[in-house]
Amino acid sequence: MKVQVNRTYNFNAGPSALPITVLEKAQQELIDFRGTGMSVMELSHRSKPYEEVHNQAIDSLRELLSIPDNYEVLFLQGGASLQFSMIPMNFLQPGKQAAYVMTGSWSEKAFTEAKLFGEVYHSASTKEGKYRSIPKVEELQFKNEDAYLHITSNNTIYGTQWKEYPNTGEVPLIADMSSDILSKPIDVSKFALIYAGAQKNLGPSGVTVVIIRKDLLAQANTNIPTMLKYGTHAKNNSLYNTPPTFGIYMLGEVLNWARELGGLKAISELNDKKANLIYDAIDSSNGFYIGHAEKDSRSLMNITFNLKTEELEKRFLAQAKLEGFVGVNGHRSVGGCRVSTYNAVPFEACKAFSEFMIQFQKENN
Ligand code: PMP
C-alpha cells in the first residue's frame, strides 16, 4: 500500500510530506549544485549562485500569491513561534491595544506572547465550543485605533479554517497562515502581515516566511533588538545574517513544483477533492466517525475526528499504523485522530486512507 517504492503515506502535521520530484531534484543536485562543485549548503550566502536561489524563491512566492509591490517578502528563522513575539514587539505601540481572535492553541500562544509587550484583548473566541468553529466575521470586535487584529487562518490542532477573512479597514490584519499558506489563492492586499513556518506547505522546517506591507513596516517600534526588527531583514533582503540557505533552496523548488501543478487555483481544487474523500467517509459513517470541526469551519488541511469509544480509537490508530499510514494520531494536547492533507500529500494517499476508514468501519461496526 505504498505510493512509490519506499515512500509512505505521510499524514504528518508538520514537518510533513514534500513533493517527491522536489526531493529527487535536491538529491541530484546535492553534491554538485549546478556546476559549482559544492552543495547548496556549502555555498557562501553572499555568492552569486546562492543569491540566484534566494531571489528566485522570493520572486516565485510573489508570483504564486500575486503579492503586490507594496509588500516585502522576508525569510526569517525562529519558526512561526518567534513571530508570536516579533509582531507585538514591532507593532504594539505604547497606549494602543491589539485584538486577537482565539480559534485554538496557536492563537492562545500568540496571545500569551503579545501580553508580555502590551495591552491585548480577545476579539472573539470559540474556546467554549471546544474550538470546533471559526467565529463569523461580523462577530469580531475591534476598534479603529487598535494596533492590529490577529487571526490564525487554519487551526492545525483543531482542524478548522477561515473561509472568509474580515475587512478590518484601517486596522492592520495579521494572519498566522502556517498551516494553509499556498493551499488556495488569497487576496494578499487584505492583510498587513502574513507569516508562516515553512514546514507544512512550503518546504522543510527552519524557514519562516513573512509577507509585510511597507507602510506597516514604517510604523514599527525602534527600541528592539536588531535581529527582531522586521526592518533589519527588509533592508537587507533577508541577508542581514546567514539565512537557512538549504531550506530556502528547498522552498524555491517547492514553489516551482506548485507553479508546474498549475498554481494555487489548481492546487486548491485538488486539496478540496482530497479532503472531501475523508470528510465523506466521516459523514457517511452514521456516527462511527465523529468529525471535530463544525461543517462550515472544516479545514481542508487538517481533518480531525474521533471514534465512538477510546478503545475503538486505539484499535483504529494501531491498524492505520500497520497499514502504513503515518501521522494519524491527533495532537498530543487533544488526542483523537488527525489527517493532514497538505499540498504535497498525493490524492492517492487520501483515497487509500478513505478506503481504509470504510473498511475498518465494516469490520468493527
Ligand atoms: N502556528 C500554527 C498554525 C502552527 O500549526 C504551528 C506549528 N504547528 C505554529 C504556529 C508554530 O510553528 P513553529 O513550530 O514553526 O514555531
Side-chain angles (χ1 to χ4, degrees):
M1 300 194 75
K2 306 265 170 166
V3 174
Q4 307 238 357
V5 185
N6 292 334
R7 292 290 290 166
T8 196
Y9 290 135
N10 182 354
F11 293 111
N12 280 332
S16 42
L18 285 165
I20 182 75
T21 51
V22 170
L23 293 172
E24 281 167 353
K25 181 151 187 231
Q27 186 181 41
Q28 270 169 20
E29 295 186 328
L30 190 67
I31 292 179
D32 180 7
F33 177 71
R34 299 173 198 172
T36 59
M38 290 177 266
S39 151
V40 138
M41 288 178 275
E42 300 168 292
L43 296 175
S44 162
H45 62 293
R46 309 279 175 211
S47 67
K48 193 125 190 86
Y50 176 71
E51 202 181 302
E52 268 173 31
V53 168
H54 191 89
N55 290 337
Q56 260 172 24
I58 294 174
D59 290 348
S60 299
L61 194 67
R62 282 193 175 281
E63 184 196 319
L64 272 166
L65 281 170
S66 308
I67 301 174
D69 288 344
N70 60 329
Y71 286 75
E72 298 278 0
V73 172
L74 310 178
F75 295 146
L76 307 184
Q77 299 185 63
S81 300
L82 186 60
Q83 295 306 304
F84 298 163
S85 317
M86 274 178 75
I87 289 163
M89 267 185 172
N90 280 267
F91 304 121
L92 188 45
Q93 285 92 359
K96 289 213 172 193
Q97 294 187 321
Y100 279 71
V101 184
M102 310 305 285
T103 51
S105 318
W106 298 111
S107 327
E108 285 178 7
K109 288 204 164 127
F111 183 79
T112 303
E113 285 305 296
K115 251 197 305 198
L116 297 170
F117 299 100
E119 249 192 89
V120 285
Y121 68 96
H122 291 178
S123 162
S125 171
T126 53
K127 187 172 186 173
E128 272 193 18
K130 298 209 168 114
Y131 290 132
R132 286 179 208 282
S133 64
I134 299 294
K136 299 213 168 8
V137 289
E138 314 81 78
E139 289 166 9
L140 306 184
Q141 313 263 330
F142 57 91
K143 302 181 296 302
N144 282 338
E145 59 278 18
D146 283 344
Y148 57 84
L149 174 82
H150 179 280
I151 68 168
T152 314
S153 64
N154 183 79
N155 298 278
T156 327
I157 296 178
Y158 291 92
T160 59
Q161 187 175 24
W162 291 70
K163 307 292 167 191
E164 177 194 3
Y165 300 118
N167 287 319
T168 53
E170 291 298 298
V171 180
L173 178 60
I174 295 186
D176 174 359
M177 291 199 183
S178 292
S179 50
D180 69 351
I181 192 164
L182 225 64
S183 68
K184 58 181 178 185
I186 51 164
D187 177 2
V188 171
S189 72
K190 279 199 125 177
F191 300 88
L193 189 154
I194 292 170
Y195 64 99
Q199 65 270 24
K200 298 157 199 311
N201 271 340
L202 295 176
S205 59
V207 192
T208 309
V209 166
V210 173
I211 301 165
I212 182 170
R213 209 171 58 211
K214 289 178 184 168
D215 67 321
L216 181 70
L217 201 53
Q219 293 165 24
N221 294 324
T222 50
N223 56 340
I224 46 178
T226 311
M227 273 297 286
L228 300 177
K229 279 183 194 160
Y230 290 104
T232 302
H233 303 287
K235 263 187 232 130
N236 292 281
N237 193 28
S238 302
L239 285 159
Y240 172 75
N241 71 322
T242 318
T245 52
F246 191 73
I248 292 169
Y249 157 73
M250 289 294 286
L251 165 65
E253 291 302 329
V254 169
L255 298 174
N256 288 341
W257 166 84
R259 191 190 298 116
E260 279 159 23
L261 271 187
L264 299 192
K265 192 164 175 289
I267 287 177
S268 139
E269 284 163 13
L270 188 59
N271 284 335
D272 213 61
K273 285 193 192 126
K274 281 156 47 183
N276 280 323
L277 282 170
I278 297 162
Y279 282 125
D280 285 348
I282 294 174
D283 292 341
S284 56
S285 75
N286 277 325
F288 185 83
Y289 299 109
I290 306 149
H292 179 78
E294 284 176 13
K295 283 194 180 167
D296 61 0
S297 297
R298 279 176 165 175
S299 167
L300 297 182
M301 296 281 100
N302 313 98
I303 302 164
T304 48
F305 60 94
N306 290 86
L307 278 80
K308 275 185 291 194
T309 64
E310 232 173 88
E311 196 267 322
L312 203 53
E313 207 163 85
K314 262 196 198 147
R315 207 183 314 153
F316 176 80
L317 289 170
Q319 187 67 26
K321 201 169 167 191
L322 267 181
E323 305 252 349
F325 299 106
V326 171
V328 180
N329 291 59
H331 188 268
R332 61 188 189 282
S333 61
V334 296
C337 310
R338 172 176 57 174
V339 186
S340 299
T341 56
Y342 298 124
N343 288 357
V345 174
F347 178 84
E348 296 73 41
C350 300
K351 187 152 191 305
F353 190 73
S354 68
E355 286 165 4
F356 163 70
M357 288 174 77
I358 294 166
Q359 187 61 26
F360 183 86
Q361 182 178 0
K362 271 193 197 136
E363 287 165 9
N364 293 275
N365 220 349

